PDB file of all heavy atoms in Angstrom:
ATOM      1  N   PHE A   1       0.836  -1.208   0.006  1.00  0.00           N
ATOM      2  CA  PHE A   1       0.014  -0.013   0.011  1.00  0.00           C
ATOM      3  C   PHE A   1       0.878   1.212   0.011  1.00  0.00           C
ATOM      4  O   PHE A   1       1.944   1.251   0.532  1.00  0.00           O
ATOM      5  CB  PHE A   1      -0.937   0.042   1.265  1.00  0.00           C
ATOM      6  CG  PHE A   1      -1.920  -1.125   1.211  1.00  0.00           C
ATOM      7  CD1 PHE A   1      -1.667  -2.219   2.029  1.00  0.00           C
ATOM      8  CD2 PHE A   1      -3.034  -1.076   0.424  1.00  0.00           C
ATOM      9  CE1 PHE A   1      -2.614  -3.277   2.072  1.00  0.00           C
ATOM     10  CE2 PHE A   1      -3.923  -2.134   0.421  1.00  0.00           C
ATOM     11  CZ  PHE A   1      -3.744  -3.235   1.231  1.00  0.00           C
ATOM     12  N   LYS A   2       0.333   2.282  -0.639  1.00  0.00           N
ATOM     13  CA  LYS A   2       1.071   3.599  -0.681  1.00  0.00           C
ATOM     14  C   LYS A   2       1.098   4.247   0.729  1.00  0.00           C
ATOM     15  O   LYS A   2       2.166   4.779   1.131  1.00  0.00           O
ATOM     16  CB  LYS A   2       0.445   4.504  -1.665  1.00  0.00           C
ATOM     17  CG  LYS A   2       1.143   5.893  -1.765  1.00  0.00           C
ATOM     18  CD  LYS A   2       0.372   6.781  -2.758  1.00  0.00           C
ATOM     19  CE  LYS A   2       0.978   8.178  -2.820  1.00  0.00           C
ATOM     20  NZ  LYS A   2       0.274   9.056  -3.803  1.00  0.00           N
ATOM     21  N   SER A   3      -0.019   4.143   1.393  1.00  0.00           N
ATOM     22  CA  SER A   3      -0.132   4.831   2.724  1.00  0.00           C
ATOM     23  C   SER A   3      -0.994   3.978   3.600  1.00  0.00           C
ATOM     24  O   SER A   3      -2.021   3.399   3.163  1.00  0.00           O
ATOM     25  CB  SER A   3      -0.779   6.219   2.563  1.00  0.00           C
ATOM     26  OG  SER A   3      -1.010   6.875   3.771  1.00  0.00           O
ATOM     27  N   ILE A   4      -0.639   3.943   4.866  1.00  0.00           N
ATOM     28  CA  ILE A   4      -1.455   3.177   5.867  1.00  0.00           C
ATOM     29  C   ILE A   4      -1.762   4.108   7.043  1.00  0.00           C
ATOM     30  O   ILE A   4      -0.901   4.673   7.683  1.00  0.00           O
ATOM     31  CB  ILE A   4      -0.641   1.971   6.422  1.00  0.00           C
ATOM     32  CG1 ILE A   4      -0.231   1.044   5.219  1.00  0.00           C
ATOM     33  CG2 ILE A   4      -1.450   1.176   7.417  1.00  0.00           C
ATOM     34  CD1 ILE A   4       0.843   0.013   5.616  1.00  0.00           C
ATOM     35  N   GLN A   5      -3.097   4.237   7.322  1.00  0.00           N
ATOM     36  CA  GLN A   5      -3.526   5.066   8.385  1.00  0.00           C
ATOM     37  C   GLN A   5      -4.143   4.244   9.522  1.00  0.00           C
ATOM     38  O   GLN A   5      -4.800   3.214   9.214  1.00  0.00           O
ATOM     39  CB  GLN A   5      -4.579   6.062   7.864  1.00  0.00           C
ATOM     40  CG  GLN A   5      -4.062   7.027   6.782  1.00  0.00           C
ATOM     41  CD  GLN A   5      -5.044   7.949   6.294  1.00  0.00           C
ATOM     42  OE1 GLN A   5      -6.160   8.125   6.838  1.00  0.00           O
ATOM     43  NE2 GLN A   5      -4.796   8.614   5.127  1.00  0.00           N
ATOM     44  N   ASN A   6      -3.869   4.673  10.762  1.00  0.00           N
ATOM     45  CA  ASN A   6      -4.416   3.909  11.842  1.00  0.00           C
ATOM     46  C   ASN A   6      -5.194   4.773  12.853  1.00  0.00           C
ATOM     47  O   ASN A   6      -4.707   5.154  13.908  1.00  0.00           O
ATOM     48  CB  ASN A   6      -3.227   3.205  12.615  1.00  0.00           C
ATOM     49  CG  ASN A   6      -2.420   2.246  11.737  1.00  0.00           C
ATOM     50  OD1 ASN A   6      -1.229   2.457  11.523  1.00  0.00           O
ATOM     51  ND2 ASN A   6      -3.106   1.244  11.208  1.00  0.00           N
ATOM     52  N   PRO A   7      -6.462   5.026  12.557  1.00  0.00           N
ATOM     53  CA  PRO A   7      -7.283   5.765  13.518  1.00  0.00           C
ATOM     54  C   PRO A   7      -7.536   4.973  14.749  1.00  0.00           C
ATOM     55  O   PRO A   7      -7.323   3.686  14.756  1.00  0.00           O
ATOM     56  CB  PRO A   7      -8.595   6.003  12.737  1.00  0.00           C
ATOM     57  CG  PRO A   7      -8.631   4.860  11.742  1.00  0.00           C
ATOM     58  CD  PRO A   7      -7.201   4.602  11.312  1.00  0.00           C
ATOM     59  N   SER A   8      -7.915   5.613  15.799  1.00  0.00           N
ATOM     60  CA  SER A   8      -8.158   4.931  17.080  1.00  0.00           C
ATOM     61  C   SER A   8      -9.427   4.062  17.111  1.00  0.00           C
ATOM     62  O   SER A   8      -9.513   3.173  17.924  1.00  0.00           O
ATOM     63  CB  SER A   8      -8.177   5.911  18.231  1.00  0.00           C
ATOM     64  OG  SER A   8      -9.254   6.854  18.013  1.00  0.00           O
ATOM     65  N   ARG A   9     -10.299   4.337  16.247  1.00  0.00           N
ATOM     66  CA  ARG A   9     -11.664   3.618  16.214  1.00  0.00           C
ATOM     67  C   ARG A   9     -11.938   3.091  14.797  1.00  0.00           C
ATOM     68  O   ARG A   9     -11.619   3.757  13.815  1.00  0.00           O
ATOM     69  CB  ARG A   9     -12.786   4.544  16.724  1.00  0.00           C
ATOM     70  CG  ARG A   9     -12.597   5.105  18.057  1.00  0.00           C
ATOM     71  CD  ARG A   9     -13.812   5.862  18.524  1.00  0.00           C
ATOM     72  NE  ARG A   9     -14.230   6.855  17.513  1.00  0.00           N
ATOM     73  CZ  ARG A   9     -13.675   8.069  17.348  1.00  0.00           C
ATOM     74  NH1 ARG A   9     -12.706   8.487  18.170  1.00  0.00           N
ATOM     75  NH2 ARG A   9     -14.174   8.874  16.418  1.00  0.00           N
ATOM     76  N   GLY A  10     -12.597   1.942  14.780  1.00  0.00           N
ATOM     77  CA  GLY A  10     -13.007   1.398  13.499  1.00  0.00           C
ATOM     78  C   GLY A  10     -14.084   2.256  12.776  1.00  0.00           C
ATOM     79  O   GLY A  10     -14.028   2.343  11.584  1.00  0.00           O
ATOM     80  N   SER A  11     -14.916   2.901  13.552  1.00  0.00           N
ATOM     81  CA  SER A  11     -15.944   3.810  12.953  1.00  0.00           C
ATOM     82  C   SER A  11     -15.244   4.960  12.118  1.00  0.00           C
ATOM     83  O   SER A  11     -15.763   5.336  11.112  1.00  0.00           O
ATOM     84  CB  SER A  11     -16.828   4.357  14.036  1.00  0.00           C
ATOM     85  OG  SER A  11     -16.113   5.053  15.022  1.00  0.00           O
ATOM     86  N   LYS A  12     -14.149   5.479  12.710  1.00  0.00           N
ATOM     87  CA  LYS A  12     -13.422   6.530  12.008  1.00  0.00           C
ATOM     88  C   LYS A  12     -12.824   6.038  10.679  1.00  0.00           C
ATOM     89  O   LYS A  12     -12.901   6.735   9.671  1.00  0.00           O
ATOM     90  CB  LYS A  12     -12.279   6.962  12.868  1.00  0.00           C
ATOM     91  CG  LYS A  12     -11.417   8.135  12.266  1.00  0.00           C
ATOM     92  CD  LYS A  12     -12.106   9.455  12.141  1.00  0.00           C
ATOM     93  CE  LYS A  12     -11.217  10.624  11.944  1.00  0.00           C
ATOM     94  NZ  LYS A  12     -10.269  10.483  10.792  1.00  0.00           N
ATOM     95  N   ALA A  13     -12.340   4.771  10.674  1.00  0.00           N
ATOM     96  CA  ALA A  13     -11.797   4.207   9.427  1.00  0.00           C
ATOM     97  C   ALA A  13     -12.895   4.059   8.380  1.00  0.00           C
ATOM     98  O   ALA A  13     -12.716   4.370   7.174  1.00  0.00           O
ATOM     99  CB  ALA A  13     -11.171   2.869   9.671  1.00  0.00           C
ATOM    100  N   VAL A  14     -14.122   3.705   8.745  1.00  0.00           N
ATOM    101  CA  VAL A  14     -15.218   3.525   7.827  1.00  0.00           C
ATOM    102  C   VAL A  14     -15.613   4.892   7.285  1.00  0.00           C
ATOM    103  O   VAL A  14     -15.920   5.115   6.085  1.00  0.00           O
ATOM    104  CB  VAL A  14     -16.409   2.829   8.485  1.00  0.00           C
ATOM    105  CG1 VAL A  14     -17.623   2.785   7.579  1.00  0.00           C
ATOM    106  CG2 VAL A  14     -16.033   1.450   8.879  1.00  0.00           C
ATOM    107  N   LEU A  15     -15.748   5.938   8.134  1.00  0.00           N
ATOM    108  CA  LEU A  15     -16.173   7.259   7.729  1.00  0.00           C
ATOM    109  C   LEU A  15     -15.164   7.864   6.829  1.00  0.00           C
ATOM    110  O   LEU A  15     -15.547   8.537   5.835  1.00  0.00           O
ATOM    111  CB  LEU A  15     -16.391   8.138   8.967  1.00  0.00           C
ATOM    112  CG  LEU A  15     -17.663   7.847   9.787  1.00  0.00           C
ATOM    113  CD1 LEU A  15     -17.706   8.695  11.064  1.00  0.00           C
ATOM    114  CD2 LEU A  15     -18.933   7.952   8.934  1.00  0.00           C
ATOM    115  N   ASP A  16     -13.836   7.656   6.994  1.00  0.00           N
ATOM    116  CA  ASP A  16     -12.838   8.212   6.144  1.00  0.00           C
ATOM    117  C   ASP A  16     -12.974   7.619   4.814  1.00  0.00           C
ATOM    118  O   ASP A  16     -12.771   8.255   3.793  1.00  0.00           O
ATOM    119  CB  ASP A  16     -11.434   7.930   6.764  1.00  0.00           C
ATOM    120  CG  ASP A  16     -11.121   8.892   7.869  1.00  0.00           C
ATOM    121  OD1 ASP A  16     -11.880   9.894   8.095  1.00  0.00           O
ATOM    122  OD2 ASP A  16     -10.160   8.664   8.565  1.00  0.00           O
ATOM    123  N   LEU A  17     -13.250   6.319   4.748  1.00  0.00           N
ATOM    124  CA  LEU A  17     -13.473   5.645   3.465  1.00  0.00           C
ATOM    125  C   LEU A  17     -14.754   6.220   2.758  1.00  0.00           C
ATOM    126  O   LEU A  17     -14.690   6.495   1.540  1.00  0.00           O
ATOM    127  CB  LEU A  17     -13.633   4.168   3.645  1.00  0.00           C
ATOM    128  CG  LEU A  17     -13.999   3.324   2.405  1.00  0.00           C
ATOM    129  CD1 LEU A  17     -12.916   3.437   1.346  1.00  0.00           C
ATOM    130  CD2 LEU A  17     -14.252   1.844   2.783  1.00  0.00           C
ATOM    131  N   PHE A  18     -15.816   6.373   3.546  1.00  0.00           N
ATOM    132  CA  PHE A  18     -17.062   6.871   2.978  1.00  0.00           C
ATOM    133  C   PHE A  18     -16.891   8.256   2.352  1.00  0.00           C
ATOM    134  O   PHE A  18     -17.425   8.535   1.271  1.00  0.00           O
ATOM    135  CB  PHE A  18     -18.060   6.972   4.111  1.00  0.00           C
ATOM    136  CG  PHE A  18     -19.440   7.439   3.628  1.00  0.00           C
ATOM    137  CD1 PHE A  18     -20.271   6.646   2.868  1.00  0.00           C
ATOM    138  CD2 PHE A  18     -19.900   8.675   4.069  1.00  0.00           C
ATOM    139  CE1 PHE A  18     -21.525   7.077   2.467  1.00  0.00           C
ATOM    140  CE2 PHE A  18     -21.147   9.193   3.647  1.00  0.00           C
ATOM    141  CZ  PHE A  18     -21.948   8.351   2.850  1.00  0.00           C
ATOM    142  N   PHE A  19     -16.072   9.125   2.970  1.00  0.00           N
ATOM    143  CA  PHE A  19     -15.815  10.468   2.441  1.00  0.00           C
ATOM    144  C   PHE A  19     -14.593  10.528   1.589  1.00  0.00           C
ATOM    145  O   PHE A  19     -14.064  11.602   1.321  1.00  0.00           O
ATOM    146  CB  PHE A  19     -15.719  11.450   3.613  1.00  0.00           C
ATOM    147  CG  PHE A  19     -17.014  11.684   4.334  1.00  0.00           C
ATOM    148  CD1 PHE A  19     -17.192  11.219   5.646  1.00  0.00           C
ATOM    149  CD2 PHE A  19     -18.046  12.376   3.767  1.00  0.00           C
ATOM    150  CE1 PHE A  19     -18.354  11.384   6.325  1.00  0.00           C
ATOM    151  CE2 PHE A  19     -19.257  12.553   4.410  1.00  0.00           C
ATOM    152  CZ  PHE A  19     -19.402  12.091   5.713  1.00  0.00           C
ATOM    153  N   ALA A  20     -14.159   9.386   1.042  1.00  0.00           N
ATOM    154  CA  ALA A  20     -13.074   9.321   0.083  1.00  0.00           C
ATOM    155  C   ALA A  20     -11.693   9.828   0.548  1.00  0.00           C
ATOM    156  O   ALA A  20     -10.876  10.311  -0.242  1.00  0.00           O
ATOM    157  CB  ALA A  20     -13.519  10.018  -1.230  1.00  0.00           C
ATOM    158  N   LYS A  21     -11.468   9.771   1.881  1.00  0.00           N
ATOM    159  CA  LYS A  21     -10.164  10.158   2.394  1.00  0.00           C
ATOM    160  C   LYS A  21      -9.198   9.019   2.272  1.00  0.00           C
ATOM    161  O   LYS A  21      -7.987   9.232   2.334  1.00  0.00           O
ATOM    162  CB  LYS A  21     -10.312  10.607   3.782  1.00  0.00           C
ATOM    163  CG  LYS A  21     -11.133  11.888   4.023  1.00  0.00           C
ATOM    164  CD  LYS A  21     -11.220  12.251   5.498  1.00  0.00           C
ATOM    165  CE  LYS A  21     -12.023  13.527   5.681  1.00  0.00           C
ATOM    166  NZ  LYS A  21     -12.091  13.945   7.112  1.00  0.00           N
ATOM    167  N   THR A  22      -9.692   7.798   2.043  1.00  0.00           N
ATOM    168  CA  THR A  22      -8.916   6.617   1.863  1.00  0.00           C
ATOM    169  C   THR A  22      -9.496   5.771   0.764  1.00  0.00           C
ATOM    170  O   THR A  22     -10.617   6.010   0.350  1.00  0.00           O
ATOM    171  CB  THR A  22      -8.743   5.750   3.159  1.00  0.00           C
ATOM    172  OG1 THR A  22     -10.108   5.374   3.545  1.00  0.00           O
ATOM    173  CG2 THR A  22      -8.051   6.522   4.290  1.00  0.00           C
ATOM    174  N   ASP A  23      -8.740   4.793   0.267  1.00  0.00           N
ATOM    175  CA  ASP A  23      -9.232   3.937  -0.775  1.00  0.00           C
ATOM    176  C   ASP A  23      -9.847   2.655  -0.243  1.00  0.00           C
ATOM    177  O   ASP A  23     -10.647   2.010  -0.924  1.00  0.00           O
ATOM    178  CB  ASP A  23      -8.129   3.561  -1.723  1.00  0.00           C
ATOM    179  CG  ASP A  23      -7.510   4.771  -2.460  1.00  0.00           C
ATOM    180  OD1 ASP A  23      -8.277   5.476  -3.072  1.00  0.00           O
ATOM    181  OD2 ASP A  23      -6.266   4.997  -2.266  1.00  0.00           O
ATOM    182  N   ALA A  24      -9.483   2.228   0.953  1.00  0.00           N
ATOM    183  CA  ALA A  24     -10.012   0.968   1.521  1.00  0.00           C
ATOM    184  C   ALA A  24      -9.787   1.023   3.046  1.00  0.00           C
ATOM    185  O   ALA A  24      -9.069   1.830   3.569  1.00  0.00           O
ATOM    186  CB  ALA A  24      -9.270  -0.240   0.985  1.00  0.00           C
ATOM    187  N   CYS A  25     -10.478   0.176   3.771  1.00  0.00           N
ATOM    188  CA  CYS A  25     -10.301   0.015   5.217  1.00  0.00           C
ATOM    189  C   CYS A  25     -10.592  -1.408   5.613  1.00  0.00           C
ATOM    190  O   CYS A  25     -11.277  -2.129   4.943  1.00  0.00           O
ATOM    191  CB  CYS A  25     -11.144   1.016   5.995  1.00  0.00           C
ATOM    192  SG  CYS A  25     -12.922   0.624   6.066  1.00  0.00           S
ATOM    193  N   VAL A  26     -10.088  -1.788   6.782  1.00  0.00           N
ATOM    194  CA  VAL A  26     -10.346  -3.058   7.390  1.00  0.00           C
ATOM    195  C   VAL A  26     -10.897  -2.829   8.784  1.00  0.00           C
ATOM    196  O   VAL A  26     -10.280  -2.150   9.575  1.00  0.00           O
ATOM    197  CB  VAL A  26      -9.077  -3.958   7.488  1.00  0.00           C
ATOM    198  CG1 VAL A  26      -9.390  -5.306   8.168  1.00  0.00           C
ATOM    199  CG2 VAL A  26      -8.454  -4.131   6.097  1.00  0.00           C
ATOM    200  N   VAL A  27     -12.105  -3.403   9.044  1.00  0.00           N
ATOM    201  CA  VAL A  27     -12.727  -3.285  10.364  1.00  0.00           C
ATOM    202  C   VAL A  27     -13.461  -4.636  10.637  1.00  0.00           C
ATOM    203  O   VAL A  27     -13.503  -5.496   9.784  1.00  0.00           O
ATOM    204  CB  VAL A  27     -13.736  -2.119  10.357  1.00  0.00           C
ATOM    205  CG1 VAL A  27     -13.065  -0.805  10.224  1.00  0.00           C
ATOM    206  CG2 VAL A  27     -14.824  -2.320   9.378  1.00  0.00           C
ATOM    207  N   SER A  28     -13.942  -4.710  11.846  1.00  0.00           N
ATOM    208  CA  SER A  28     -14.705  -5.931  12.182  1.00  0.00           C
ATOM    209  C   SER A  28     -16.072  -5.817  11.472  1.00  0.00           C
ATOM    210  O   SER A  28     -16.565  -4.726  11.245  1.00  0.00           O
ATOM    211  CB  SER A  28     -14.909  -6.102  13.675  1.00  0.00           C
ATOM    212  OG  SER A  28     -15.828  -5.084  14.136  1.00  0.00           O
ATOM    213  N   LYS A  29     -16.609  -7.015  11.153  1.00  0.00           N
ATOM    214  CA  LYS A  29     -17.902  -6.999  10.421  1.00  0.00           C
ATOM    215  C   LYS A  29     -19.007  -6.351  11.270  1.00  0.00           C
ATOM    216  O   LYS A  29     -19.897  -5.681  10.795  1.00  0.00           O
ATOM    217  CB  LYS A  29     -18.286  -8.472  10.148  1.00  0.00           C
ATOM    218  CG  LYS A  29     -19.545  -8.592   9.258  1.00  0.00           C
ATOM    219  CD  LYS A  29     -19.838 -10.088   8.946  1.00  0.00           C
ATOM    220  CE  LYS A  29     -21.055 -10.174   8.064  1.00  0.00           C
ATOM    221  NZ  LYS A  29     -21.323 -11.621   7.721  1.00  0.00           N
ATOM    222  N   ASN A  30     -18.932  -6.564  12.601  1.00  0.00           N
ATOM    223  CA  ASN A  30     -19.922  -5.917  13.524  1.00  0.00           C
ATOM    224  C   ASN A  30     -19.900  -4.420  13.439  1.00  0.00           C
ATOM    225  O   ASN A  30     -20.962  -3.779  13.440  1.00  0.00           O
ATOM    226  CB  ASN A  30     -19.639  -6.365  14.977  1.00  0.00           C
ATOM    227  CG  ASN A  30     -20.039  -7.842  15.196  1.00  0.00           C
ATOM    228  OD1 ASN A  30     -20.765  -8.410  14.388  1.00  0.00           O
ATOM    229  ND2 ASN A  30     -19.467  -8.384  16.272  1.00  0.00           N
ATOM    230  N   ILE A  31     -18.722  -3.816  13.321  1.00  0.00           N
ATOM    231  CA  ILE A  31     -18.630  -2.335  13.187  1.00  0.00           C
ATOM    232  C   ILE A  31     -19.313  -1.896  11.973  1.00  0.00           C
ATOM    233  O   ILE A  31     -20.079  -0.916  11.911  1.00  0.00           O
ATOM    234  CB  ILE A  31     -17.142  -1.836  13.191  1.00  0.00           C
ATOM    235  CG1 ILE A  31     -16.472  -2.055  14.569  1.00  0.00           C
ATOM    236  CG2 ILE A  31     -16.994  -0.444  12.705  1.00  0.00           C
ATOM    237  CD1 ILE A  31     -17.034  -1.002  15.580  1.00  0.00           C
ATOM    238  N   PHE A  32     -18.984  -2.588  10.851  1.00  0.00           N
ATOM    239  CA  PHE A  32     -19.613  -2.179   9.543  1.00  0.00           C
ATOM    240  C   PHE A  32     -21.114  -2.389   9.538  1.00  0.00           C
ATOM    241  O   PHE A  32     -21.838  -1.482   9.076  1.00  0.00           O
ATOM    242  CB  PHE A  32     -19.061  -3.089   8.440  1.00  0.00           C
ATOM    243  CG  PHE A  32     -19.669  -2.882   7.071  1.00  0.00           C
ATOM    244  CD1 PHE A  32     -19.664  -1.627   6.458  1.00  0.00           C
ATOM    245  CD2 PHE A  32     -20.351  -3.909   6.426  1.00  0.00           C
ATOM    246  CE1 PHE A  32     -20.251  -1.396   5.248  1.00  0.00           C
ATOM    247  CE2 PHE A  32     -20.954  -3.694   5.209  1.00  0.00           C
ATOM    248  CZ  PHE A  32     -20.898  -2.470   4.537  1.00  0.00           C
ATOM    249  N   LEU A  33     -21.629  -3.465  10.112  1.00  0.00           N
ATOM    250  CA  LEU A  33     -23.101  -3.659  10.131  1.00  0.00           C
ATOM    251  C   LEU A  33     -23.787  -2.652  11.043  1.00  0.00           C
ATOM    252  O   LEU A  33     -24.862  -2.164  10.713  1.00  0.00           O
ATOM    253  CB  LEU A  33     -23.373  -5.095  10.629  1.00  0.00           C
ATOM    254  CG  LEU A  33     -22.942  -6.169   9.702  1.00  0.00           C
ATOM    255  CD1 LEU A  33     -23.258  -7.585  10.354  1.00  0.00           C
ATOM    256  CD2 LEU A  33     -23.647  -6.101   8.353  1.00  0.00           C
ATOM    257  N   THR A  34     -23.139  -2.316  12.206  1.00  0.00           N
ATOM    258  CA  THR A  34     -23.737  -1.301  13.052  1.00  0.00           C
ATOM    259  C   THR A  34     -23.807   0.055  12.434  1.00  0.00           C
ATOM    260  O   THR A  34     -24.866   0.713  12.484  1.00  0.00           O
ATOM    261  CB  THR A  34     -22.913  -1.251  14.366  1.00  0.00           C
ATOM    262  OG1 THR A  34     -22.921  -2.450  15.012  1.00  0.00           O
ATOM    263  CG2 THR A  34     -23.531  -0.170  15.281  1.00  0.00           C
ATOM    264  N   MET A  35     -22.708   0.460  11.755  1.00  0.00           N
ATOM    265  CA  MET A  35     -22.697   1.777  11.073  1.00  0.00           C
ATOM    266  C   MET A  35     -23.679   1.813   9.903  1.00  0.00           C
ATOM    267  O   MET A  35     -24.251   2.816   9.612  1.00  0.00           O
ATOM    268  CB  MET A  35     -21.302   2.096  10.664  1.00  0.00           C
ATOM    269  CG  MET A  35     -20.333   2.288  11.793  1.00  0.00           C
ATOM    270  SD  MET A  35     -18.750   3.000  11.251  1.00  0.00           S
ATOM    271  CE  MET A  35     -19.245   4.629  10.778  1.00  0.00           C
ATOM    272  N   SER A  36     -23.864   0.666   9.231  1.00  0.00           N
ATOM    273  CA  SER A  36     -24.803   0.597   8.089  1.00  0.00           C
ATOM    274  C   SER A  36     -26.254   0.760   8.576  1.00  0.00           C
ATOM    275  O   SER A  36     -27.072   1.346   7.915  1.00  0.00           O
ATOM    276  CB  SER A  36     -24.632  -0.742   7.427  1.00  0.00           C
ATOM    277  OG  SER A  36     -23.358  -0.832   6.815  1.00  0.00           O
ATOM    278  N   GLU A  37     -26.532   0.246   9.783  1.00  0.00           N
ATOM    279  CA  GLU A  37     -27.896   0.391  10.321  1.00  0.00           C
ATOM    280  C   GLU A  37     -28.200   1.829  10.721  1.00  0.00           C
ATOM    281  O   GLU A  37     -29.244   2.367  10.557  1.00  0.00           O
ATOM    282  CB  GLU A  37     -28.016  -0.519  11.542  1.00  0.00           C
ATOM    283  CG  GLU A  37     -28.091  -1.976  11.164  1.00  0.00           C
ATOM    284  CD  GLU A  37     -28.320  -2.834  12.422  1.00  0.00           C
ATOM    285  OE1 GLU A  37     -28.470  -2.280  13.531  1.00  0.00           O
ATOM    286  OE2 GLU A  37     -28.244  -4.079  12.304  1.00  0.00           O
ATOM    287  N   LEU A  38     -27.139   2.505  11.243  1.00  0.00           N
ATOM    288  CA  LEU A  38     -27.251   3.915  11.674  1.00  0.00           C
ATOM    289  C   LEU A  38     -27.308   4.853  10.452  1.00  0.00           C
ATOM    290  O   LEU A  38     -28.005   5.862  10.453  1.00  0.00           O
ATOM    291  CB  LEU A  38     -26.126   4.298  12.578  1.00  0.00           C
ATOM    292  CG  LEU A  38     -26.007   3.618  13.924  1.00  0.00           C
ATOM    293  CD1 LEU A  38     -24.747   4.011  14.619  1.00  0.00           C
ATOM    294  CD2 LEU A  38     -27.224   3.905  14.766  1.00  0.00           C
ATOM    295  N   ASN A  39     -26.599   4.485   9.386  1.00  0.00           N
ATOM    296  CA  ASN A  39     -26.599   5.306   8.175  1.00  0.00           C
ATOM    297  C   ASN A  39     -26.624   4.360   6.972  1.00  0.00           C
ATOM    298  O   ASN A  39     -25.577   3.901   6.468  1.00  0.00           O
ATOM    299  CB  ASN A  39     -25.332   6.160   8.166  1.00  0.00           C
ATOM    300  CG  ASN A  39     -25.299   7.076   6.941  1.00  0.00           C
ATOM    301  OD1 ASN A  39     -26.150   7.008   6.055  1.00  0.00           O
ATOM    302  ND2 ASN A  39     -24.328   7.966   6.900  1.00  0.00           N
ATOM    303  N   PRO A  40     -27.776   4.061   6.422  1.00  0.00           N
ATOM    304  CA  PRO A  40     -27.925   3.143   5.284  1.00  0.00           C
ATOM    305  C   PRO A  40     -27.080   3.541   4.086  1.00  0.00           C
ATOM    306  O   PRO A  40     -26.769   2.668   3.245  1.00  0.00           O
ATOM    307  CB  PRO A  40     -29.443   3.255   4.960  1.00  0.00           C
ATOM    308  CG  PRO A  40     -30.062   3.604   6.281  1.00  0.00           C
ATOM    309  CD  PRO A  40     -29.131   4.532   6.914  1.00  0.00           C
TER     310      PRO A  40
END
C-alpha cells in the first residue's frame, strides 16, 4: 500500500473511506453492520 492510516476507532476508518479520504479500510464485520444500520 502507498499509505497506511491507523485511526483509534473502526468507525473513523469507515467514515474516512465513505468520504473518500482513503481507498480501503479493514474493520470488524460488527462495526460495519452497526454503522450501516445507523446510516444506510
Side-chain angles (χ1 to χ4, degrees):
F1 296 103
K2 177 182 179 181
S3 175
I4 302 167
Q5 300 179 13
N6 299 122
S8 59
R9 303 184 309 278
S11 56
K12 178 68 163 55
V14 174
L15 289 176
D16 284 349
L17 174 63
F18 181 73
F19 290 111
K21 294 180 179 180
T22 59
D23 298 304
C25 75
V26 179
V27 295
S28 71
K29 186 176 181 180
N30 286 343
I31 288 289
F32 175 61
L33 293 177
T34 299
M35 295 190 68
S36 296
E37 291 181 4
L38 296 174
N39 185 353

